[in-house]
Amino acid sequence: MNRIETTIEHCKTSELASQLQAACRAALVGGTIIRDMYNAPHSIEMKGAINLVTDTDVSSEAAIIASLNEDTPDIAIMAEESAGDNPKIPEGKVWIIDPLDGTTNFAHGFPFFAVSIALLQDGVPQVGVVYCPMQDELFASCREGGAWMNGKRIQVTDTRFLVESLVATGFPYDIHENIDEVLMQLRDILPKVRDIRRAGAAAVDLAYVACGRLDGFWEMALKPWDTAAGWLLVTEAGGEVTDFTGKPYSPFIPEILATNSAIHQLLKDQLE
Ligand code: IPD
Ligand code: CA
Ligand code: CA
């Protein structure tokens, strides 16, 4: 059995299994385009002062949408490069797509980026896939079916103390408007943890919490396509995801705190 077959076996229903299979197929299609274009010259446009979009984001998005439309023609699609700036919580089933999470990394040849695809039903995550093309790591989860990486079950760490925790964060594109809050968070958290990473792809940060490479992750000013898939990966791997005050998470709120669960309260106390 290949890594997708091994994973979808664990889905609770055949419908979820075929949706997870569709998400994996689309993520591999997008990821292959990204990997093929990694060493080619990029055409880059600016969405904001430091917010880039490349021709690869656009090509990956088109190919992912085509793949999902072929496999699940009845499911609506919300994708970053075509969704507009203020997406609303959709009703019913919708695919939420980030065709290239970590565009700045991609544009600079820093090989930490991914495709992120989630299926939400009335705002509740059903399927979440994050594919890192340079590492060929396929993180996949379906509701109540666990979380998997390349067909092997993954779970969060059991680290209980901040001083033993490796955590990650990210900086918003509108950093000039948020600089005080970001620096305050770093000032409070950095001396208490083992170390902090800012690797530049929120979807991958969440996948890394799910598989135990990180103990926790927080970030403000994110969009639904950054987090929707990683949210399910973390919860299915035994972790916890909330806003900074511990309230239930939705990818349609801008802030996220995702941890192995054991350090959730401790990290939340630093962010509140
Ligand atoms: C970005 C990455 C980054 C995070 C930004 C996101 P993009 O997504 O996830 O790590 O800090 O806030 O917008 O623009 O590369 O898809
Ligand atoms: Ca993103
Ligand atoms: Ca993106």
Side-chain angles (χ1 to χ4, degrees):
M1 275 202 288
N2 67 30
R3 59 186 168 179
I4 299 177
E5 289 161 350
T6 318
T7 305
I8 64 172
E9 284 205 304
H10 301 275
C11 292
K12 290 280 180 230
T13 64
S14 58
E15 191 187 13
L16 271 178
S18 62
Q19 289 161 345
L20 181 57
Q21 187 166 30
C24 288
R25 184 169 92 89
L28 293 177
V29 165
T32 303
I33 289 175
I34 296 170
R35 193 167 48 233
D36 289 349
M37 291 172 92
Y38 182 62
N39 287 314
H42 310 307
S43 126
I44 299 176
E45 280 177 34
M46 306 304 295
K47 293 201 270 190
I50 54 169
N51 189 354
L52 317 178
V53 59
T54 71
D55 47 345
T56 305
D57 298 61
V58 176
S59 304
S60 172
E61 179 162 309
I64 291 167
I65 291 175
S67 174
L68 289 173
N69 277 337
E70 201 174 298
D71 287 346
T72 59
D74 298 333
I75 301 183
I77 284 178
M78 178 187 286
E80 177 178 12
E81 305 309 337
S82 43
D85 260 358
N86 291 304
K88 302 272 173 298
I89 304 181
E91 282 175 12
K93 285 185 193 151
V94 60
W95 291 112
I96 311 276
I97 302 162
D98 191 330
L100 204 183
D101 183 55
T103 296
T104 306
N105 286 345
F106 175 80
H108 286 260
F110 185 96
F112 191 85
F113 42 77
V115 170
S116 173
I117 301 176
L119 177 66
L120 299 190
Q121 178 158 13
D122 299 318
V124 179
Q126 307 297 319
V127 158
V129 171
V130 171
Y131 178 56
C132 302
M134 304 315 287
Q135 294 76 21
D136 191 29
E137 289 183 334
L138 180 68
F139 296 87
S141 54
C142 59
R143 191 158 198 79
E144 295 172 12
W148 307 80
M149 196 261 277
N150 287 347
K152 295 206 172 68
R153 186 146 206 158
I154 52 173
Q155 61 181 46
V156 295
T157 62
D158 56 10
T159 310
R160 287 168 48 222
F161 304 107
L162 288 183
V163 71
E164 292 173 5
S165 297
L166 183 63
V167 297
T169 190
F171 306 134
Y173 285 125
D174 57 356
I175 186 69
H176 305 288
E177 287 163 33
N178 295 294
I179 187 78
D180 291 338
E181 195 173 344
V182 168
L183 291 180
M184 227 159 61
Q185 291 168 352
L186 289 175
R187 198 200 55 200
D188 289 344
I189 295 172
L190 191 48
K192 300 192 178 72
V193 294
R194 185 165 282 167
D195 208 344
I196 296 181
R197 297 287 174 265
R198 192 297 188 243
V204 189
D205 292 325
L206 288 163
Y208 278 23
V209 173
C211 73
R213 292 175 184 162
L214 292 168
D215 301 293
F217 165 70
W218 83 95
E219 187 165 345
M220 55 198 285
L222 288 173
K223 299 284 188 186
W225 37 83
D226 297 316
T227 59
W231 173 31
L232 187 65
L233 281 166
V234 172
T235 52
E236 286 296 328
E240 189 171 347
V241 182
T242 66
D243 72 3
F244 290 171
T245 68
K247 290 206 199 74
Y249 183 68
S250 155
F252 291 84
I253 58 172
E255 64 189 40
I256 187 167
L257 170 61
T259 69
N260 66 356
S261 188
I263 62 160
H264 205 82
Q265 178 76 37
L266 296 171
L267 209 48
K268 178 175 82 69
D269 289 347
Q270 305 305 316
L271 291 168
E272 270 182 309

